[in-house]
Amino acid sequence: MKIRCVWEHNGNVSILYADNFAGAYTRGETKDIALQKMAREVAAYLEWKGETVPDSLETMVVREKSSVLTISDADSDVLFEEEKKPLTRAEYEELKALALKSAQDFLDLYEAVPDRNKSCLPVRKTFYGQVPRTASEMYEHKKNVNDYYFGEIGIETNHEGTIVECRQRGFAVLEGQPGFFE
């Protein structure tokens, strides 16, 4: 199976996004390092989704994006052509289910951490402020980012409750909009 990758880079940092596996990506100091990680990333992604992992996974770069953004801190300006197309109900439901599964898995992981306020990481700042270092900080950051992503498609949300509740609420508001598949 071929993994079609979009290579985004800025200086010494490379990110590869698998355009045929929504959400699968790798990073590396070089394109080759990121490419070496992609087959394992897609295999883990397919296992997480509950799908069969093919015997052969071959990576190929189908697009390159030189970026001025701080991609080392998770910023990106890559937009996939597939993301611009209207969704069918089935495509929407599949992507929504993955987003909710991701939120639930993240919440489960967070709740399993015994000391959520402990960290061994140094303080570091990035374009959006201080990098989250503890499980509590990471959870709050990830939960609050829901507002940003829903806001990118014109949906106002809030980050009250759990990460799962935030996403469910965002989808409910989205689904109340006429023509939301567009």
Side-chain angles (χ1 to χ4, degrees):
M1 175 178 280
K2 297 209 184 286
I3 305 168
R4 296 187 318 266
C5 298
V6 176
W7 173 39
E8 184 176 20
H9 53 90
N10 178 348
N12 292 333
V13 179
S14 285
I15 302 177
L16 286 176
Y17 303 98
D19 84 349
N20 52 333
F21 296 95
Y25 70 96
T26 60
R27 294 177 185 277
E29 290 179 6
T30 67
K31 175 176 75 171
D32 289 338
I33 291 171
L35 276 168
Q36 290 171 10
K37 298 176 183 179
M38 186 54 80
R40 285 189 318 269
E41 170 69 8
V42 168
Y45 173 78
L46 289 171
E47 287 175 1
W48 173 76
K49 283 180 67 177
E51 295 183 10
T52 303
V53 177
D55 292 333
S56 172
L57 290 168
E58 179 186 339
T59 57
M60 57 193 291
V61 175
V62 296
R63 188 170 137 210
E64 176 183 353
K65 171 68 174 154
S66 180
S67 181
V68 297
L69 299 177
T70 312
I71 63 173
S72 59
D73 289 329
D75 205 2
S76 174
D77 60 358
V78 169
L79 184 63
F80 300 104
E81 292 305 313
E82 290 295 313
E83 294 176 321
K84 298 176 184 178
K85 296 177 183 176
L87 296 171
T88 65
R89 170 63 77 175
E91 290 168 330
Y92 171 78
E93 292 297 338
E94 180 182 352
L95 291 170
K96 176 183 170 184
L98 287 176
L100 293 173
K101 176 179 174 24
S102 174
Q104 184 62 58
D105 289 351
F106 192 81
L107 178 60
D108 292 345
L109 180 62
Y110 171 70
E111 289 177 340
V113 174
D115 188 348
R116 298 176 189 146
N117 293 309
K118 186 175 182 177
S119 177
C120 63
L121 300 174
V123 173
R124 185 170 74 84
K125 292 204 182 267
T126 184
F127 70 94
Y128 59 80
Q130 185 172 312
V131 172
R133 300 178 317 120
T134 67
S136 292
E137 290 170 356
M138 289 176 199
Y139 176 77
E140 286 301 315
H141 172 74
K142 186 83 167 170
K143 184 176 75 152
N144 296 347
V145 162
N146 282 316
D147 293 348
Y148 171 79
Y149 287 111
F150 278 110
E152 286 292 292
I153 57 173
I155 303 299
E156 286 190 35
T157 61
N158 65 54
H159 43 263
E160 300 300 318
T162 69
I163 190 171
V164 176
E165 293 165 341
C166 292
R167 288 210 184 149
Q168 288 170 331
R169 202 168 36 255
F171 283 118
V173 173
L174 172 64
E175 291 164 5
Q177 305 293 314
F180 72 94
F181 289 128
E182 300 297 317

